[in-house]
Amino acid sequence: MTLLHAHHITKQFGGLTAVNDVSLTIDAGSIVSVIGPNGAGKTTFFNVLTGIYKPTKGTITFDGKEIAGLRPDQITTLGICRTFQNIRLFGTMTVLENVLVGMHARLRASLWPTIFNTPVVRAEERAARDRARELLTFVHLDDKRSQLARNLPYGDQRRLEIARALATSPRLILLDEPTAGMNPQETAEATRLISRLRDDLGLTVVLIEHDMRVVMTISERITVLDYGTKIAEGLPDEIRANPRVIEAYLGKGAAAHGGEQVEG
Amino acid sequence: MAVEATTGPEPLVARRSFRSFMSEVFGPLLQVLAFVIGSATILGLLVVLVAAALRGTRTDIDLLQGTISILPQVIVDGLVRGFLYATIALGYTMVYGVLEFINFAHGEIFMVGAFAGAFFSAALAASGMLDGLGPVLFVLAAVLLGMAVSGLLAMSIERVAYRPLRNAPRLVPLISAIGVSLVLQDVMRMIAVNSGLGFNASFKTPDLGAPIVLGQMQIAADRTIPISIDSRSLIFIIVAIMMVTGLNYLVNITKLGTAIRAVAQDRPTASLMGIDVDRVIAITFLIGGALGGAAGVLFGMRVGTVNPYIGFLPGLKAFTAAVLGGIGNITGAMVGGIVLGFLEAFVASYLSLFTRGQFSGPSYADIVAFSILILILIFRPSGLLGEVVTQKV
Amino acid sequence: MTADNRQAGQFTSLWAQLRATAGRGPAPYVLTLAYATIVSALLLLNPTTGLGTDMVVVLFLLLMFVIYRAPTMLAFKLTLGTILLGVIMPVFGVLNPFYIDVVTKAGMFASLALGLNVVVGFAGLLDLGYVAFFAVGAYLWGIFSTPQISNIVPGMVPLNGSWFWLFLAIGLAVGALFGVLLGLPVLRLRGDYLAIVTLGLGEVIRVLATNLDRPVNITNGAQGIKDVGRPPLFVEPLFKALGLNISVIQEYQLYFYFLVLLILALTVLVVYRLNNSRIGRAWTAIREDETAAIAMGVPLVRMKLLAFAVGASFAGTMGVIFSALQTFINPPTFDLLRSIGILSMVILGGMGSIPGTMLGAVIVTLLDLQLLPRIASELSILQRRGVPIPSWFDPAQYQRLLFGLLLVIMMIFRPEGLLPEDRRRQELHQDDLPAPAAEQEQPAPAAEAKPEPGS
């Protein structure tokens, strides 16, 4: 079943075309990677999917609904959530509060009930905290829930970002370079966590990733962008052998030497 | 100087063709001229049309004749206000260009410049030299003094109150700048009141000459009025044009200008290219402050008195002008100043006339200026000519 | 580590030891009680007006913050606070009518500052035109309770004082409405633009207040509105029953003191509950990182508008009270300096911190209304006795300098304020304190950290 279908997406900034006529179909329950050299338009593509940028051209259907042109918060409420390439936590809030912010759209407490602190509000708040702690336990951060987010070590911050994204109760989660800057051991852990997102929580995962080991291990399908254009799409093995991909990464000359090098 | 290290042994200026030199120095001025003529024509036609439409409503005076007879004066007023806002706006826009920071205290830099001029003229008057100096020399000396004082002040403020906060969240230096502006107001007041100059300090000048009559305008069969420009306004406009030309030369032609533009575009990269970023930022404050100080002196000279709170409104409006033209864009600041100056001059003069004095023109001119600021920010945040500094998402 | 630093370190550890001793067992109870008793006794036994009493009043108000921070039971804090503010202060007010006015003003500004703190501190929106909403509330009651109303609605007579109570609520609603109306066009702007635009809007409201005496006389222009209505003194029989024989002026002083105290208490409660709710978390998230907040499903414009409206509604209500308290309002009361004064309270105390904001309001109000004028008059006495103090040195005249220096110095040396917001303290589990801020390691960009494929 198709969960998300991006149809001929183009995004231009002034004269610069960052994403050019890219189409992408994501099946529910799959793990898909988007790869490409730096500046290929991967993050811009994520920003278009999550509503931070409006596409210049093209349509995006999520679960049968058209979402291009919606605000990011509306898209999040529909069930798409993301993490950021350069971690964007709420630094002066505690770990627990960061997760609670993620639940914003799922909670109902409005102005007057909050001011009067009604039993309904109190019950909702209690339930939200319980749920937030479940999520923190899932990413192994529950014991650090009262710390300020900015004081966490790097790897914990990455996992907190995932917990915060999970708090929005997404069906599709977009991870922007989830293992960037990690050592091999942390990378392995992160890879396991990404698999658990799908296997334990039943989410659909799309990730931007530079580490080819991660990409080739967990992706079911891979899409390759270069200069804003989709140059290849397919199973990991197909991508590995695709001359255009090798050319994009290594330049024209290297393409002649065959594809086995891509795995790096 | 660090900037020199970035360019080759041959100076950039020498390689520039005369044509490109002229277009980079005087091109922006032509753009400004176009906006001057455009604003004056459009607004002039507009008020004449409104006057014609309202002609029957007033019996006491001939509205159309009244409208036309003050038009030349209003246009001169618009020009002066326009160049006033333009010169102050340049300071906002240059600093915004390099730091993406609104130097809230810039209006007070302008005010301090005005006081420097007032002190200068008071000292001359006290020693009896005021009339002996001659108008040209006096204006030149006063403006240069104002530029020096304000420029150095702006540079020191940057060093003390802004530089330590350069990497802080955006609002922190802004709040610091608000504080600086209040401090400057009161310190200047303290100095002015206790130096004998007084809270409302008079700005004495030597005899600057009678108004210059440019021509006669026939407004009725039996009535002509002279079109004239008073010498203080003329001085204001001439000096402002000279400064703006100089700035264009500095920014577009010299190596220093190249360095400033490089820092504005990408600070880390500029620093990697061997540009001393701290120094360039300090110089930017110096230049912006000097322009503001010169504007202050010219303003004080034209109005005749200065007080410690005169910086606030022109500062706010000049910021509006900078936003109107596209903040970070130097030509834009000039154009924005001109457009805003003309709009204000017309509202200030004609609103009372058209509403029989029910609405006070000058007060509502302020409201018009703020409304423009809000409308521009909402509907065209990049301004008339576009923001040069792109926002990095 | 330099010698200076080491010394500072020793000093801090000494301080920490002192705190530990004072904070253990019955010590905090005894110390707070002793402090409270001494200060109360000084106030009640010597209710004269002078620099000495000024200092004691300052100590009295600081005592509130000591009680707040002291490690004692909540019931103890509440009882002591209620006795001090509900009994000692009013009695002192009866004995010396000068100070209760200042304390009432401090309470009023604390409430205003808490409102601004919602906008600036919680949501991170720098609003430099906050006083506009205060003006709206003040003019609302000012117009409706005086003959000005007959100029707008012909035939309508001024409302009598009993309407004041309803107008507290109307002020709240109108303030919120103005907050939304002024906020709607500008809240999409970037932070620094927002500051300038709100400043412009604040000026527009003031210019309108000055100029709307024509064509229809709504605000009475620069002359302002005098004889603003006051609520009926329904508590008079109560005062009489207590055996108090005081003038109407003093009765009103006490009346407004208790009214402001009540409103302040309500404000604190509302702000506290909002801050610790879904709404407050959304505001903080917006302050920290707008892009991340909206990506987490926080509707930016709606939450910002809510912050604006909540802050503005406090100012609206306080404006109604202010006009009734002063019985006279005019445009200069609501100038930019007032907005910046309130902002400096928030910044001095600590943006986002409720007790901090109140502390800031108390300090700035006392400095502004009481201490600086007092120091000025003491100086002039000394001057007349021949002490060489330059005649231009008049601290009461340099409000701008005070606010300005306060803003610059706080921004450079302590941007988080005197009593910073501490979100961790609010969590239930305080046991697991983190290691001191291990500077967040900046990850190397992925492209550099990882070998490119095939390289």
Side-chain angles (χ1 to χ4, degrees), chain B residues 96 104 165 170 175-176 179 182 185-186 189-190 194 309 312 316 319 327 357-358 363 377-378 391, chain C residues 124 185 190 192-193 196-197 199 201 211 214-215 336 340 347 392 397-398 400-401 404-405 408 411-412:
Chain B
Y96 197 92
F104 196 87
L165 305 175
R170 227 188 169 98
I175 292 171
S176 179
L182 293 177
Q185 288 177 4
D186 254 10
R189 185 162 63 94
M190 199 188 278
N194 298 293
Y309 303 150
F312 174 66
L316 197 54
F319 176 74
I327 193 145
Q358 290 296 309
S363 299
L377 283 175
I378 294 167
Q391 228 206 320
Chain C
R190 234 161 40 198
D192 41 2
Y193 280 6
I196 303 287
V197 170
L199 183 155
L201 286 175
N211 287 286
R214 281 177 306 174
L336 174 66
I340 291 182
I347 284 167
W392 52 265
Q397 293 260 315
Y398 293 98
R400 285 163 199 258
L401 191 66
L405 282 177
V408 178
M411 283 303 105
I412 294 179

Short mmCIF file of all heavy atoms in Angstrom, two decimals, chain B residues 96 104 165 170 175-176 179 182 185-186 189-190 194 309 312 316 319 327 357-358 363 377-378 391, chain C residues 124 185 190 192-193 196-197 199 201 211 214-215 336 340 347 392 397-398 400-401 404-405 408 411-412:
data_model
loop_
_atom_site.label_atom_id
_atom_site.label_comp_id
_atom_site.label_asym_id
_atom_site.label_seq_id
_atom_site.Cartn_x
_atom_site.Cartn_y
_atom_site.Cartn_z
N TYR B 96 23.46 46.25 9.27
CA TYR B 96 22.63 45.07 9.10
C TYR B 96 23.27 44.15 8.06
O TYR B 96 23.25 42.94 8.20
CB TYR B 96 21.21 45.46 8.66
CG TYR B 96 20.24 44.33 8.86
CD1 TYR B 96 19.53 44.23 10.04
CD2 TYR B 96 20.08 43.34 7.90
CE1 TYR B 96 18.68 43.18 10.26
CE2 TYR B 96 19.23 42.29 8.11
CZ TYR B 96 18.53 42.20 9.29
OH TYR B 96 17.69 41.15 9.52
N PHE B 104 20.03 49.68 17.12
CA PHE B 104 18.96 50.53 17.63
C PHE B 104 19.49 51.90 18.07
O PHE B 104 18.76 52.88 18.08
CB PHE B 104 18.30 49.82 18.82
CG PHE B 104 16.97 50.38 19.19
CD1 PHE B 104 15.83 49.92 18.58
CD2 PHE B 104 16.86 51.36 20.16
CE1 PHE B 104 14.59 50.44 18.91
CE2 PHE B 104 15.62 51.89 20.49
CZ PHE B 104 14.50 51.42 19.88
N LEU B 165 28.67 40.29 22.40
CA LEU B 165 27.40 39.57 22.26
C LEU B 165 27.23 39.01 20.86
O LEU B 165 26.13 38.63 20.48
CB LEU B 165 26.24 40.53 22.55
CG LEU B 165 26.32 41.23 23.90
CD1 LEU B 165 25.19 42.25 24.02
CD2 LEU B 165 26.21 40.22 25.02
N ARG B 170 19.81 36.33 18.87
CA ARG B 170 19.56 37.58 18.15
C ARG B 170 19.05 38.73 19.01
O ARG B 170 19.40 39.88 18.80
CB ARG B 170 18.51 37.27 17.10
CG ARG B 170 18.81 37.77 15.75
CD ARG B 170 17.57 37.55 14.90
NE ARG B 170 17.73 38.26 13.66
CZ ARG B 170 18.13 37.69 12.55
NH1 ARG B 170 18.40 36.40 12.54
NH2 ARG B 170 18.25 38.39 11.45
N ILE B 175 18.65 44.12 22.54
CA ILE B 175 18.28 44.71 23.83
C ILE B 175 19.42 45.58 24.33
O ILE B 175 19.21 46.68 24.85
CB ILE B 175 17.93 43.59 24.84
CG1 ILE B 175 16.64 42.90 24.40
CG2 ILE B 175 17.76 44.16 26.24
CD1 ILE B 175 16.30 41.66 25.19
N SER B 176 20.65 45.10 24.15
CA SER B 176 21.81 45.90 24.53
C SER B 176 21.80 47.23 23.77
O SER B 176 22.07 48.29 24.34
CB SER B 176 23.08 45.11 24.23
OG SER B 176 24.21 45.85 24.57
N GLY B 179 19.43 49.61 25.24
CA GLY B 179 20.04 50.19 26.43
C GLY B 179 21.02 51.30 26.07
O GLY B 179 20.98 52.38 26.64
N LEU B 182 19.32 54.54 25.21
CA LEU B 182 18.85 55.31 26.37
C LEU B 182 20.01 55.98 27.10
O LEU B 182 19.92 57.14 27.51
CB LEU B 182 18.11 54.39 27.34
CG LEU B 182 16.79 53.81 26.85
CD1 LEU B 182 16.20 52.87 27.88
CD2 LEU B 182 15.80 54.92 26.56
N GLN B 185 21.16 59.06 25.27
CA GLN B 185 20.24 60.20 25.43
C GLN B 185 20.52 60.93 26.73
O GLN B 185 20.61 62.16 26.77
CB GLN B 185 18.79 59.71 25.43
CG GLN B 185 18.30 59.26 24.07
CD GLN B 185 16.89 58.71 24.13
OE1 GLN B 185 16.24 58.72 25.16
NE2 GLN B 185 16.41 58.21 23.00
N ASP B 186 20.63 60.15 27.81
CA ASP B 186 20.79 60.81 29.10
C ASP B 186 22.18 61.39 29.30
O ASP B 186 22.33 62.46 29.91
CB ASP B 186 20.44 59.84 30.24
CG ASP B 186 19.09 60.18 30.84
OD1 ASP B 186 18.39 61.03 30.25
OD2 ASP B 186 18.72 59.62 31.88
N ARG B 189 22.25 64.53 27.49
CA ARG B 189 21.47 65.54 28.22
C ARG B 189 22.30 66.10 29.37
O ARG B 189 22.36 67.31 29.60
CB ARG B 189 20.19 64.91 28.75
CG ARG B 189 19.25 65.89 29.42
CD ARG B 189 17.86 65.31 29.52
NE ARG B 189 17.83 64.12 30.34
CZ ARG B 189 17.55 64.12 31.64
NH1 ARG B 189 17.27 65.25 32.25
NH2 ARG B 189 17.54 63.01 32.33
N MET B 190 22.96 65.18 30.07
CA MET B 190 23.79 65.59 31.20
C MET B 190 24.85 66.59 30.72
O MET B 190 25.04 67.65 31.31
CB MET B 190 24.47 64.34 31.78
CG MET B 190 25.00 64.48 33.18
SD MET B 190 25.94 63.02 33.64
CE MET B 190 24.71 61.87 34.13
N ASN B 194 24.69 70.74 31.49
CA ASN B 194 25.71 71.24 32.41
C ASN B 194 26.85 71.98 31.74
O ASN B 194 27.71 72.54 32.41
CB ASN B 194 26.25 70.09 33.26
CG ASN B 194 25.14 69.50 34.09
OD1 ASN B 194 24.62 70.14 34.98
ND2 ASN B 194 24.73 68.30 33.75
N TYR B 309 16.75 64.26 22.50
CA TYR B 309 15.79 63.25 22.09
C TYR B 309 15.45 63.33 20.60
O TYR B 309 14.54 62.65 20.15
CB TYR B 309 14.50 63.37 22.92
CG TYR B 309 14.74 63.26 24.42
CD1 TYR B 309 13.95 63.91 25.34
CD2 TYR B 309 15.79 62.47 24.91
CE1 TYR B 309 14.18 63.81 26.71
CE2 TYR B 309 16.03 62.37 26.27
CZ TYR B 309 15.24 63.03 27.16
OH TYR B 309 15.47 62.92 28.51
N PHE B 312 15.44 59.89 18.13
CA PHE B 312 14.53 58.74 18.16
C PHE B 312 13.67 58.61 16.91
O PHE B 312 13.71 57.60 16.20
CB PHE B 312 13.65 58.82 19.41
CG PHE B 312 12.61 57.77 19.47
CD1 PHE B 312 12.97 56.45 19.60
CD2 PHE B 312 11.27 58.10 19.37
CE1 PHE B 312 12.00 55.46 19.64
CE2 PHE B 312 10.30 57.11 19.40
CZ PHE B 312 10.67 55.80 19.54
N LEU B 316 14.00 55.91 13.88
CA LEU B 316 12.97 54.92 13.59
C LEU B 316 12.53 55.00 12.13
O LEU B 316 12.35 53.99 11.46
CB LEU B 316 11.78 55.19 14.52
CG LEU B 316 10.77 54.07 14.68
CD1 LEU B 316 11.47 52.81 15.10
CD2 LEU B 316 9.73 54.47 15.71
N PHE B 319 15.15 53.71 9.82
CA PHE B 319 15.10 52.25 9.78
C PHE B 319 13.98 51.81 8.84
O PHE B 319 14.16 50.89 8.04
CB PHE B 319 14.86 51.68 11.18
CG PHE B 319 14.69 50.20 11.18
CD1 PHE B 319 15.79 49.38 11.00
CD2 PHE B 319 13.45 49.62 11.30
CE1 PHE B 319 15.65 48.02 10.95
CE2 PHE B 319 13.29 48.24 11.24
CZ PHE B 319 14.40 47.44 11.08
N ILE B 327 16.58 45.96 3.30
CA ILE B 327 17.64 46.16 4.28
C ILE B 327 18.90 45.40 3.87
O ILE B 327 18.83 44.28 3.35
CB ILE B 327 17.19 45.82 5.71
CG1 ILE B 327 18.20 46.34 6.72
CG2 ILE B 327 16.95 44.33 5.87
CD1 ILE B 327 17.58 46.81 7.98
N GLY B 357 -7.82 71.09 8.80
CA GLY B 357 -7.14 71.09 10.09
C GLY B 357 -7.70 70.10 11.09
O GLY B 357 -7.33 70.12 12.26
N GLN B 358 -8.61 69.21 10.65
CA GLN B 358 -9.16 68.22 11.58
C GLN B 358 -8.11 67.20 11.98
O GLN B 358 -8.13 66.68 13.07
CB GLN B 358 -10.38 67.52 10.96
CG GLN B 358 -11.59 68.41 10.82
CD GLN B 358 -12.11 68.87 12.17
OE1 GLN B 358 -12.33 68.08 13.06
NE2 GLN B 358 -12.24 70.18 12.34
N SER B 363 1.58 64.83 12.83
CA SER B 363 1.37 63.66 13.68
C SER B 363 0.99 62.44 12.85
O SER B 363 1.50 61.35 13.05
CB SER B 363 0.25 63.91 14.69
OG SER B 363 0.59 64.96 15.51
N LEU B 377 6.85 45.20 5.58
CA LEU B 377 7.36 43.98 6.20
C LEU B 377 6.42 42.81 5.95
O LEU B 377 6.85 41.67 5.84
CB LEU B 377 7.54 44.19 7.70
CG LEU B 377 8.79 44.98 8.07
CD1 LEU B 377 8.84 45.24 9.56
CD2 LEU B 377 10.04 44.24 7.63
N ILE B 378 5.13 43.11 5.88
CA ILE B 378 4.19 42.00 5.69
C ILE B 378 4.16 41.56 4.22
O ILE B 378 4.21 40.38 3.92
CB ILE B 378 2.78 42.41 6.15
CG1 ILE B 378 2.80 42.64 7.67
CG2 ILE B 378 1.76 41.34 5.80
CD1 ILE B 378 1.58 43.32 8.17
N GLN B 391 18.69 35.26 3.75
CA GLN B 391 18.57 34.61 5.04
C GLN B 391 18.91 33.14 4.89
O GLN B 391 18.46 32.47 3.98
CB GLN B 391 17.15 34.76 5.56
CG GLN B 391 17.12 35.21 7.00
CD GLN B 391 15.87 34.78 7.66
OE1 GLN B 391 14.82 34.82 7.07
NE2 GLN B 391 15.97 34.34 8.89
N GLY C 124 9.45 34.39 23.71
CA GLY C 124 10.63 34.94 23.03
C GLY C 124 10.31 35.99 21.99
O GLY C 124 11.08 36.20 21.07
N PRO C 185 -1.02 41.03 12.16
CA PRO C 185 -0.18 41.35 11.00
C PRO C 185 1.31 41.16 11.23
O PRO C 185 2.05 40.98 10.28
CB PRO C 185 -0.50 42.82 10.73
CG PRO C 185 -0.99 43.35 12.02
CD PRO C 185 -1.68 42.22 12.69
N ARG C 190 10.29 38.16 11.62
CA ARG C 190 11.44 37.71 12.36
C ARG C 190 11.58 38.52 13.64
O ARG C 190 11.14 39.67 13.71
CB ARG C 190 12.67 37.91 11.49
CG ARG C 190 13.50 36.71 11.30
CD ARG C 190 14.36 36.88 10.10
NE ARG C 190 14.90 38.23 10.02
CZ ARG C 190 15.41 38.73 8.91
NH1 ARG C 190 15.42 38.01 7.83
NH2 ARG C 190 15.91 39.94 8.89
N ASP C 192 13.76 40.42 15.33
CA ASP C 192 14.20 41.81 15.48
C ASP C 192 13.25 42.77 14.76
O ASP C 192 13.02 43.87 15.22
CB ASP C 192 15.65 41.97 14.99
CG ASP C 192 15.90 41.20 13.72
OD1 ASP C 192 14.96 40.57 13.19
OD2 ASP C 192 17.05 41.20 13.23
N TYR C 193 12.69 42.34 13.64
CA TYR C 193 11.71 43.18 12.97
C TYR C 193 10.49 43.35 13.86
O TYR C 193 9.91 44.42 13.95
CB TYR C 193 11.27 42.53 11.66
CG TYR C 193 12.22 42.72 10.51
CD1 TYR C 193 13.45 43.33 10.69
CD2 TYR C 193 11.87 42.32 9.23
CE1 TYR C 193 14.31 43.51 9.63
CE2 TYR C 193 12.72 42.48 8.16
CZ TYR C 193 13.95 43.07 8.36
OH TYR C 193 14.79 43.25 7.31
N ILE C 196 10.90 46.15 16.36
CA ILE C 196 10.78 47.51 15.84
C ILE C 196 9.32 47.82 15.49
O ILE C 196 8.82 48.91 15.74
CB ILE C 196 11.67 47.69 14.59
CG1 ILE C 196 13.11 47.35 14.94
CG2 ILE C 196 11.56 49.09 14.06
CD1 ILE C 196 13.82 48.36 15.77
N VAL C 197 8.64 46.82 14.91
CA VAL C 197 7.26 47.07 14.50
C VAL C 197 6.36 47.28 15.72
O VAL C 197 5.52 48.17 15.74
CB VAL C 197 6.75 45.92 13.62
CG1 VAL C 197 5.26 46.04 13.41
CG2 VAL C 197 7.45 45.93 12.29
N LEU C 199 7.30 48.45 18.51
CA LEU C 199 7.66 49.79 18.98
C LEU C 199 6.87 50.84 18.19
O LEU C 199 6.29 51.76 18.77
CB LEU C 199 9.16 49.99 18.80
CG LEU C 199 9.82 51.28 19.27
CD1 LEU C 199 11.28 51.00 19.55
CD2 LEU C 199 9.71 52.38 18.27
N LEU C 201 4.05 50.40 16.62
CA LEU C 201 2.63 50.32 16.95
C LEU C 201 2.36 51.01 18.29
O LEU C 201 1.36 51.70 18.45
CB LEU C 201 2.19 48.86 17.02
CG LEU C 201 2.04 48.17 15.68
CD1 LEU C 201 1.72 46.70 15.87
CD2 LEU C 201 0.93 48.83 14.87
N ASN C 211 -3.85 62.78 19.47
CA ASN C 211 -4.51 63.50 18.38
C ASN C 211 -5.99 63.22 18.21
O ASN C 211 -6.65 63.88 17.42
CB ASN C 211 -3.79 63.22 17.06
CG ASN C 211 -2.46 63.93 17.01
OD1 ASN C 211 -2.39 65.14 16.84
ND2 ASN C 211 -1.39 63.18 17.24
N ARG C 214 -9.72 65.49 17.91
CA ARG C 214 -10.40 65.97 16.73
C ARG C 214 -10.47 64.84 15.74
O ARG C 214 -9.57 64.00 15.73
CB ARG C 214 -9.62 67.14 16.11
CG ARG C 214 -9.82 68.45 16.83
CD ARG C 214 -8.98 69.51 16.20
NE ARG C 214 -7.56 69.10 16.13
CZ ARG C 214 -6.62 69.80 15.53
NH1 ARG C 214 -6.91 70.90 14.90
NH2 ARG C 214 -5.37 69.38 15.51
N PRO C 215 -11.39 64.74 14.83
CA PRO C 215 -12.60 65.55 14.70
C PRO C 215 -13.61 65.31 15.84
O PRO C 215 -14.40 66.19 16.15
CB PRO C 215 -13.19 65.11 13.37
CG PRO C 215 -12.38 63.97 12.89
CD PRO C 215 -11.25 63.74 13.80
N LEU C 336 7.26 55.25 25.05
CA LEU C 336 8.17 54.13 24.86
C LEU C 336 8.98 53.83 26.12
O LEU C 336 9.25 52.68 26.45
CB LEU C 336 9.13 54.48 23.70
CG LEU C 336 10.24 53.46 23.46
CD1 LEU C 336 9.67 52.15 22.98
CD2 LEU C 336 11.24 54.00 22.46
N ILE C 340 9.88 50.28 27.88
CA ILE C 340 11.24 49.80 28.11
C ILE C 340 11.48 49.59 29.59
O ILE C 340 12.19 48.67 30.00
CB ILE C 340 12.25 50.77 27.46
CG1 ILE C 340 12.11 50.65 25.94
CG2 ILE C 340 13.67 50.44 27.88
CD1 ILE C 340 13.04 51.48 25.15
N ILE C 347 13.94 41.76 32.19
CA ILE C 347 15.31 41.36 31.89
C ILE C 347 16.17 41.30 33.14
O ILE C 347 16.97 40.39 33.32
CB ILE C 347 15.89 42.32 30.84
CG1 ILE C 347 15.29 41.94 29.50
CG2 ILE C 347 17.40 42.24 30.79
CD1 ILE C 347 15.50 42.93 28.43
N TRP C 392 24.74 69.29 39.04
CA TRP C 392 24.00 68.61 37.99
C TRP C 392 23.69 67.17 38.36
O TRP C 392 22.93 66.49 37.69
CB TRP C 392 24.76 68.66 36.67
CG TRP C 392 26.20 68.19 36.78
CD1 TRP C 392 27.29 68.95 36.97
CD2 TRP C 392 26.67 66.85 36.73
NE1 TRP C 392 28.42 68.19 37.03
CE2 TRP C 392 28.07 66.90 36.88
CE3 TRP C 392 26.04 65.61 36.55
CZ2 TRP C 392 28.85 65.75 36.88
CZ3 TRP C 392 26.83 64.47 36.54
CH2 TRP C 392 28.22 64.55 36.72
N GLN C 397 16.74 62.33 37.97
CA GLN C 397 16.53 62.83 36.61
C GLN C 397 16.99 61.85 35.55
O GLN C 397 16.75 62.07 34.38
CB GLN C 397 17.32 64.12 36.45
CG GLN C 397 16.83 65.26 37.29
CD GLN C 397 16.00 66.18 36.44
OE1 GLN C 397 16.38 66.52 35.34
NE2 GLN C 397 14.85 66.56 36.95
N TYR C 398 17.69 60.81 35.98
CA TYR C 398 18.35 59.98 34.96
C TYR C 398 17.76 58.58 34.87
O TYR C 398 18.46 57.58 34.97
CB TYR C 398 19.86 59.97 35.19
CG TYR C 398 20.44 61.33 34.92
CD1 TYR C 398 20.69 62.23 35.94
CD2 TYR C 398 20.66 61.75 33.61
CE1 TYR C 398 21.17 63.49 35.68
CE2 TYR C 398 21.13 63.01 33.33
CZ TYR C 398 21.39 63.88 34.37
OH TYR C 398 21.85 65.13 34.09
N ARG C 400 16.40 57.23 32.19
CA ARG C 400 16.83 56.56 30.97
C ARG C 400 18.20 55.93 31.14
O ARG C 400 18.44 54.80 30.72
CB ARG C 400 16.91 57.56 29.81
CG ARG C 400 15.58 57.98 29.28
CD ARG C 400 15.70 59.24 28.46
NE ARG C 400 14.41 59.86 28.32
CZ ARG C 400 13.67 59.78 27.22
NH1 ARG C 400 14.13 59.14 26.17
NH2 ARG C 400 12.50 60.34 27.17
N LEU C 401 19.07 56.70 31.81
CA LEU C 401 20.42 56.19 32.05
C LEU C 401 20.33 54.90 32.87
O LEU C 401 21.00 53.91 32.58
CB LEU C 401 21.21 57.25 32.82
CG LEU C 401 22.71 57.03 32.94
CD1 LEU C 401 23.36 57.10 31.58
CD2 LEU C 401 23.32 58.05 33.87
N GLY C 404 18.84 52.15 30.75
CA GLY C 404 19.78 51.83 29.69
C GLY C 404 20.95 51.01 30.20
O GLY C 404 21.28 49.95 29.66
N LEU C 405 21.57 51.49 31.29
CA LEU C 405 22.72 50.76 31.84
C LEU C 405 22.30 49.37 32.28
O LEU C 405 23.00 48.38 32.05
CB LEU C 405 23.29 51.52 33.03
CG LEU C 405 24.17 52.72 32.67
CD1 LEU C 405 24.63 53.42 33.93
CD2 LEU C 405 25.38 52.25 31.86
N VAL C 408 22.09 47.12 29.18
CA VAL C 408 23.38 46.78 28.60
C VAL C 408 24.15 45.84 29.53
O VAL C 408 24.67 44.80 29.11
CB VAL C 408 24.22 48.04 28.33
CG1 VAL C 408 25.58 47.67 27.78
CG2 VAL C 408 23.50 48.96 27.36
N MET C 411 22.71 42.35 29.68
CA MET C 411 22.93 41.59 28.45
C MET C 411 24.37 41.09 28.37
O MET C 411 24.63 39.98 27.93
CB MET C 411 22.62 42.44 27.22
CG MET C 411 21.14 42.61 26.95
SD MET C 411 20.28 41.05 26.75
CE MET C 411 19.43 40.90 28.27
N ILE C 412 25.32 41.94 28.81
CA ILE C 412 26.71 41.54 28.68
C ILE C 412 27.11 40.54 29.76
O ILE C 412 27.76 39.53 29.49
CB ILE C 412 27.64 42.78 28.71
CG1 ILE C 412 27.37 43.62 27.46
CG2 ILE C 412 29.10 42.36 28.74
CD1 ILE C 412 28.18 44.87 27.38
#
